[in-house]
Amino acid sequence: MITDTAARHEEEQHIKHALQQCQYPRWAIEKGKQQVLHKNKNRKPHKPKKKDATTDNKDTITLPYIRGLTERIQRAMKKHNIHTAVKPYRNIRQLLVHPKDRIENHQKCNVIYEIPCKSCKKTYIGETGRAFTVRKHEHKKECEKETAGRLTRTEHQRAQQDNLKSAISDHCKRNNHVMDWDKSRIINQESNKYKRWIKEAIEIRKRGADTMNRDEGSFQLSRTWDSLLQRPPAGRGRGQPDRTVRLTTP
């Protein structure tokens, strides 16, 4: 807003000349000038609003609305100059939208799993992108098929030479052992297939001779990691730190 008289007069002449160049008639220019002067004359001076000091310093808390209880809390908070806001105790979203049910461990997919032998300390390490319960059922079905009935001496000698499809079936038939299917468990979960192969190879290498696996899995893990993945000696005394290193894949 221009307050200097000379500058204001100069600005008015500039606007008037610009409007004349745009073919505005003289009467329209004068009428517009009078309207502006009348508007400025009746304009009220701006006064900043006074802030209520009592409301500025109020703390605010949000309460769930419970009929009969929330009102009592509000009255108590008001005495201490604390403002309270109320929200519904339960809303429509909570009533209508329900989260997904938790997936049971045996139904999980993309896992690395362990199946122990009931007759010795060896375990089988495997991985699958399907549900764990499906893969375990396949192992169990094949193992029961291959080990059904008693083995004669001749059949036992033949079993020592045959290589069955599954390492589990191979182990049970050669040694006349039984797998502990009830204690099978998921030891890791990974959706990325390549990373899952790496984690399977790590678990196999960590157990060393305690696995019945015939190979080291789909990923060929470098022998450089052996010193980190080897298990602590069986005679390690109680209270001594476990120096086994757990690796995570990138």
Side-chain angles (χ1 to χ4, degrees):
M1 187 175 181
I2 302 174
T3 56
D4 184 68
T5 305
R8 184 174 182 178
H9 178 73
E10 184 180 352
E11 184 66 20
E12 288 178 358
Q13 293 300 320
H14 173 73
I15 295 173
K16 185 176 180 181
H17 178 72
L19 293 174
Q20 288 175 349
Q21 292 294 324
C22 295
Q23 304 299 320
Y24 278 87
R26 186 182 296 275
W27 65 266
I29 298 173
E30 291 297 329
K31 184 177 180 180
K33 179 180 177 181
Q34 293 301 322
Q35 289 177 346
V36 172
L37 291 174
H38 179 73
K39 184 178 180 180
N40 291 336
K41 184 178 180 180
N42 295 331
R43 180 179 293 174
K44 294 181 179 179
H46 176 71
K47 294 182 180 180
K49 293 183 179 180
K50 293 182 179 180
K51 295 183 178 180
D52 189 358
T54 58
T55 58
D56 287 347
N57 297 329
K58 278 188 177 181
D59 294 325
T60 303
I61 61 171
T62 303
L63 301 173
Y65 181 74
I66 302 175
R67 186 177 179 181
L69 178 61
T70 304
E71 293 86 352
R72 293 168 59 187
I73 298 176
Q74 284 181 313
R75 288 194 294 269
M77 295 295 103
K78 189 175 181 180
K79 293 179 181 179
H80 297 281
N81 201 28
I82 299 175
H83 177 70
T84 55
V86 179
K87 66 177 182 179
Y89 176 68
R90 299 191 70 182
N91 52 36
I92 296 177
R93 179 180 178 84
Q94 292 173 330
L95 293 173
L96 300 181
V97 180
H98 299 282
K100 294 181 179 179
D101 294 334
R102 183 179 178 182
I103 301 175
E104 299 294 336
N105 282 337
H106 64 278
Q107 294 289 349
K108 289 181 179 179
C109 302
N110 303 317
V111 297
I112 298 94
Y113 58 89
E114 178 183 39
I115 304 177
C117 178
K118 189 178 289 187
S119 307
C120 66
K121 64 178 182 178
K122 289 192 175 184
T123 60
Y124 175 80
I125 304 297
E127 65 84 21
T128 181
R130 297 176 295 164
F132 172 53
T133 183
V134 174
R135 188 69 185 108
K136 184 176 75 169
H137 178 72
E138 291 175 349
H139 282 306
K140 187 175 181 181
K141 186 177 180 180
E142 184 191 356
C143 184
E144 290 175 349
K145 177 183 176 182
E146 296 293 341
T147 58
R150 291 180 175 273
L151 290 179
T152 63
R153 182 176 301 176
T154 303
E155 290 174 341
H156 182 72
Q157 291 175 353
R158 189 184 302 118
Q160 296 294 327
Q161 299 173 358
D162 293 340
N163 284 325
L164 301 179
K165 180 180 178 181
S166 170
I168 293 178
S169 302
D170 205 13
H171 173 80
C172 292
K173 191 167 185 178
R174 289 189 179 193
N175 301 285
N176 200 22
H177 284 187
V178 178
M179 299 300 293
D180 195 348
W181 303 105
D182 293 335
K183 291 187 179 181
S184 58
R185 65 188 182 99
I186 294 172
I187 54 179
N188 214 324
Q189 191 170 14
E190 176 57 61
S191 57
N192 184 285
K193 181 171 68 174
Y194 181 73
K195 291 182 179 180
R196 194 165 65 245
W197 289 350
I198 296 175
K199 291 183 178 182
E200 179 198 28
I202 290 174
E203 294 296 337
I204 294 172
R205 187 70 60 81
K206 281 167 62 176
R207 287 159 177 77
D210 290 340
T211 65
M212 62 186 72
N213 294 66
R214 292 179 298 202
D215 55 43
E216 296 188 341
S218 302
F219 180 81
Q220 297 300 314
L221 188 67
S222 173
R223 288 290 173 182
T224 308
W225 301 105
D226 285 1
S227 59
L228 296 175
L229 295 175
Q230 63 184 359
R231 287 193 167 190
R236 180 172 60 86
R238 182 177 298 179
Q240 295 181 7
D242 185 354
R243 301 184 182 276
T244 305
V245 178
R246 296 183 180 273
L247 295 186
T248 56
T249 57

